[in-house]
Structure formats: C-alpha cells, structure tokens
Amino acid sequence: MRRLAVLTSGGDAPGMNAAIRAVVEEGLHHNIEVIGVQQGYKGLVEGNFRPLGINSVSQAIRRGGTILYSARFPEFSQLSVQEKAVQVMEENGIEGLIAIGGDGTFRGALALTKLGFPAVGIPATIDNDIPGTEYTIGFDSAFSAATTAIDMISDTAASHNRTFVVEVMGHNAGDIAIWAGVAVGADAIIIPEEEYFMGDIARRVRTSRKHGKDHGLIILAEGVMGVEDFVAAYSEEAPEQDVRGVNLSHIQRGGSPTGRDRVFATLMGAKSVDLILHGQSGIYVGIIGEELAVFDMIDTLASSKHKVRDDLFELNQALTDRY
Ligand code: F6P
C-alpha cells in the first residue's frame, strides 16, 4: 500500500485532529502518503482531497473540531454513491481508508469494505455511544467542558438559592449527563436509559436544601426531553423553588481536547494504520480499560445497545437520597 485516505464524518469531536495527526505520522513512518478527505463521505465522492504532511498536522493535536471538516451525507447509504466513492479513490491511487466518527461513519466504512475496498474505523463522538469500545474520542473533552460550564452556573445558582436544570448533549445516550452530573455533585441526573419521577427529583432537591445546600442542580440528557419542557413540568411539582433552565448545546462540543482524548486518539490513530497495512478491514479500533482493542464493524452495528455506566448513575442516586 502506497497511499491512504483519512476522513472525519458526523458531528465533530475534540480529539479528531489528534487522530488525524497520528494517522499521518504513522503513515509517514511506513513511507505511506496520507491524503485528507475534506467534508467526510461527501468529499470522498466529490474528490475533495488534500495531501497531509507533518506541516499540516503538527499543531492540530491541540485544536478542537476537525481540520478536515465534517458533513452529514445520508446519500452515502445508496450503493451507486458508494461505488462512485470507490471509483474516485481508485482513480486517485488511494488503496485504503481510515474513517473517524460515530456509528454512521462506520456504516459508510463497512459499505466500502463490502465493495472490496479496505476501510478501518476510529470511534469519535462526544456521545460515547458506540457499542463495544468503552471510550470514544471527544467524550472526555465534552464532559469536562460541561463540568466547567455547570460549575459556573452553580455560582450564580447558589447566590440566588435557585434550582438550575442544565441540558447536556449525548443524542440518545446518557453518558455526558452521568459523568458531568457526578463531577458537579448534581442532586439528580435524568437520562434516557432510566425511569424518572418528577416528585422524586423535587424531593431530592428539597432534602439537600434542608440539609444546608444553597442551590439545586439537575442534569438533563437531551435524549429525555428539551430543558424548557422539563422546567415547565418540574416547576409544577416544586412551586416553592425558583427554577431556571440552561441548554449547554454546542459549547460542550468545542474547545481544545483534553490530554486523555489526545492520548487515546493518538493510540487509535497509529493502530488503525498498522491494521490496514496488515490487510485488515471492516474493523474498528477502540479502548477497553486503558488498552487498545479491535472490534468487528458488523457485530458493532448489529449490536443494539451501548451501555452507560449504571454504577455511576446508581452512586449518584444513593448519594442524593437523603432524609
Ligand atoms: O453526535 C454529537 C451530537 O453533538 C449529539 O450530542 C447531538 O444530538 C447532535 O450531535 C447535534 O447535531 P448537530 O450539531 O448537527 O445539531
């Protein structure tokens, strides 16, 4: 193999650039040319390519977002569009693809594999919702950004003895809500994976206020409902509380990646190149514990569910269940 392509697709995630940089550096280490595909699968079909060298990636490790841009491109589910992508890559002498992104990105990579084109995935999404791996690039940065933002909100919440409901991202997964919720000592964490009762949430906030806490904090995962609807329903249940709602929205997807995201992205980026050079395809590189692990994309995409950390959720429930 002489020439590899790398792309990022789906929602951007801090650390994607660190993975791109590792792919380029590992490629150079093996004397392979790495071509950057701009705007994900859309750019692949359009031949929107640019060569990547050390000069284009050396500073990228500390930058959020993706230097290759990203796009959502549902048309890539069509066979004719996938075949066109293979044709464009072959015309450009590209012999393999590293695809960085979430499950939609893996679906695209798997389709190329089925057409006989080598493709390997790297999991990158702030939602942490890919079955198999315990870790996806961007999650650590996103939950840390959410934690910082909620800490700021806590200052003003405490000054006015208010209850704040903070909506965080996560698509249909509660990971950001659980981790940020534990990190800020939330009174309640509301996630799609667990039932909740407004009366019980109000009781938790009330009892913590009774024991001297000067504000209330409820962390709401976006997959449950929007913060405005939640605040309306909660205020009926707790009319004595002065309640405000905040949606952290895309703030938590931006910014410089954490050291942890950079390190794991670097590990996975380098490994993906080694695997594709050894003839592997239709797989993705993930993390179990602190170690690299390799997963089959077919199994991953067929598997119904990513699992959230129930133990952390239960711990927070226990800590906030006061009398
Ligand atoms: O998948 C990442 C994510 O940020 C989700 O948490 C969120 O639901 C979605 O993307 C938002 O997408 P967009 O930026 O296209 O509005």
Side-chain angles (χ1 to χ4, degrees), residues 72 125-127 169-171 222 250 253:
R72 305 208 192 266
T125 160
I126 65 163
D127 304 331
M169 279 185 170
H171 194 47
E222 66 171 351
H250 291 78
R253 213 161 87 188

Side-chain angles (χ1 to χ4, degrees), residues 153-164 209 214-216 241-244:
I153 290 166
S154 302
D155 290 345
T156 174
S159 303
H160 290 264
N161 303 131
R162 283 175 170 154
T163 297
F164 266 79
R209 291 296 304 275
D214 53 14
H215 66 292
Q241 294 176 30
D242 185 10
V243 186
R244 295 285 188 282

Side-chain angles (χ1 to χ4, degrees), residues 66-234:
T66 163
I67 57 168
L68 289 177
Y69 308 110
S70 192
R72 305 208 192 266
F73 187 54
E75 292 86 340
F76 204 73
S77 56
Q78 297 163 27
L79 181 61
S80 59
V81 181
Q82 297 158 6
E83 286 171 343
K84 170 81 180 155
V86 172
Q87 183 200 329
V88 172
M89 284 193 283
E90 284 173 354
E91 282 167 6
N92 284 274
I94 294 166
E95 296 168 84
L97 175 72
I98 307 293
I100 305 171
D103 55 353
T105 308
F106 288 1
R107 248 174 264 286
L110 186 60
L112 295 173
T113 297
K114 285 183 178 161
L115 292 175
F117 194 89
V120 168
I122 300 178
T125 160
I126 65 163
D127 304 331
N128 203 41
D129 61 351
I130 297 184
T133 184
E134 288 175 357
Y135 166 88
T136 63
I137 294 170
F139 170 68
D140 192 63
S141 304
F143 109 74
S144 300
T147 300
T148 304
I150 299 165
D151 282 348
M152 292 178 187
I153 290 166
S154 302
D155 290 345
T156 174
S159 303
H160 290 264
N161 303 131
R162 283 175 170 154
T163 297
F164 266 79
V165 182
V166 184
E167 179 184 333
V168 296
M169 279 185 170
H171 194 47
N172 291 321
D175 296 60
I176 296 177
I178 291 178
W179 283 71
V182 170
V184 299
D187 298 297
I189 300 172
I190 322 298
I191 55 171
E193 294 86 350
E194 299 283 345
E195 255 191 314
Y196 67 91
F197 301 97
M198 284 294 178
D200 180 59
I201 302 165
R203 176 184 67 80
R204 285 169 194 274
V205 174
R206 256 179 223 130
T207 48
S208 72
R209 291 296 304 275
K210 194 177 82 186
H211 286 282
K213 187 168 173 179
D214 53 14
H215 66 292
L217 263 185
I218 299 167
I219 310 303
L220 170 70
E222 66 171 351
V224 177
M225 71 170 84
V227 69
E228 283 174 15
D229 290 341
F230 189 93
V231 166
Y234 181 75

